Amino acid sequence: MVPVQTSAKVELSDDYKGYELEYFCVPRHYEDSLECVLIPSGLIQDRIERLARDVAADLGREPFAALCVLKGGYKFLADLLEKIKQCYRFSSENSVPFSVDFIRLQSYKDDHSTGDVKVLGVDGLSFLQNKNVLVVEDIIDTGKTMKVLLEILEKQKPKSVKVASLFVKRTSSSSGLRPDYVGFEIPDRFIVGYALDYNEYFPCESCLCHQ
């Protein structure tokens, strides 16, 4: 069964099996730890290009601040911004200014997430006041941490806040949060690749399903 594309996202069904590893160049020392290639690199890039078009169309010619959630979001951010810049170059002679900042979210108590989120990596968020903010995340699981982050951001009184997430897991523990821009909705499986790591391993371009 192949992914089913909708107007808002590409949805991978629960019984989606992905692609066999032998069809792709996966490092041999990873093969025993992987189940399949869930989403090939080319499909990821094509999907990001479409998300970039949607973001550029929504923002128009207005400047914006991109806020990247580390660690996994950095590669998605880089590819998304490059494609957004291409959209502006093709549609106008004038560029659109934007800034980039990086944050890390820490939610903890005895190694359990509590929803008590601490934002690391920037000296306050007051610089976001009256700005269009694009939050860039690699994957949203339950969405609880992102909901708290959005509450924190709203206190800074930005002009607007949009969330782009490359992956959203379909899980029974979801908070119901839906990003404004979704690359792929995936089953509740553990994935690696495309900067989503497991103990610093699996820096592959494709999205891989980890056993």
Side-chain angles (χ1 to χ4, degrees):
M1 182 176 295
V2 298
V4 177
Q5 185 169 0
T6 69
S7 58
K9 60 184 178 298
V10 174
E11 182 176 342
L12 276 61
S13 64
D14 289 338
D15 60 354
Y16 175 63
K17 302 300 183 183
Y19 301 87
E20 294 182 17
L21 297 176
E22 64 184 51
Y23 298 141
F24 298 89
C25 295
V26 177
R28 291 192 179 277
H29 55 285
Y30 292 152
E31 289 180 351
D32 292 340
S33 301
L34 300 173
E35 180 181 337
C36 67
V37 174
L38 198 66
I39 307 172
S41 175
L43 181 54
I44 291 175
Q45 292 301 320
D46 284 352
R47 184 63 184 138
I48 293 175
E49 182 175 353
R50 179 51 195 261
L51 294 182
R53 291 184 187 180
D54 293 342
V55 172
D58 289 345
L59 291 175
R61 310 303 303 171
E62 295 193 20
F64 66 95
L67 194 62
C68 177
V69 181
L70 297 173
K71 291 182 180 179
Y74 76 89
K75 185 166 180 56
F76 178 37
L77 172 80
D79 289 341
L80 180 65
L81 290 182
E82 181 58 34
K83 289 176 170 56
I84 289 175
K85 288 190 292 184
Q86 291 175 5
C87 290
Y88 287 135
R89 285 198 296 265
F90 291 148
S91 62
S92 172
E93 295 181 358
N94 299 320
S95 61
V96 173
F98 61 84
S99 62
V100 180
D101 287 278
F102 299 87
I103 62 171
R104 295 187 69 173
L105 303 180
Q106 192 174 70
S107 175
Y108 60 90
K109 184 177 181 180
D110 298 328
D111 296 327
H112 297 289
S113 177
T114 63
D116 183 16
V117 177
K118 184 177 182 181
V119 179
L120 309 175
V122 294
D123 186 17
L125 296 170
S126 59
F127 65 93
L128 297 177
Q129 184 175 3
N130 296 322
K131 292 186 178 180
N132 296 304
V133 180
L134 177 65
V135 180
V136 180
E137 175 71 288
D138 56 348
I139 184 168
I140 291 180
D141 195 332
T142 66
K144 295 176 182 178
T145 300
M146 180 58 68
K147 287 186 72 172
V148 176
L149 173 61
L150 293 177
E151 292 172 0
I152 293 173
L153 294 179
E154 285 299 328
K155 294 178 181 178
Q156 309 306 318
K157 298 181 179 180
K159 184 175 182 180
S160 68
V161 178
K162 300 287 188 180
V163 178
S165 184
L166 184 57
F167 305 108
V168 172
K169 277 192 180 182
R170 190 168 51 251
T171 171
S172 59
S173 57
S174 171
S175 66
L177 182 142
R178 299 299 303 176
D180 300 278
Y181 311 102
V182 180
F184 302 88
E185 181 179 290
I186 64 174
D188 191 4
R189 301 164 75 180
F190 188 76
I191 62 171
V192 292
Y194 197 74
L196 284 80
D197 70 287
Y198 176 71
N199 292 336
E200 309 298 332
Y201 287 94
F202 307 113
C204 303
E205 296 297 315
S206 299
C207 174
L208 311 170
C209 190
H210 184 40
Q211 293 178 340

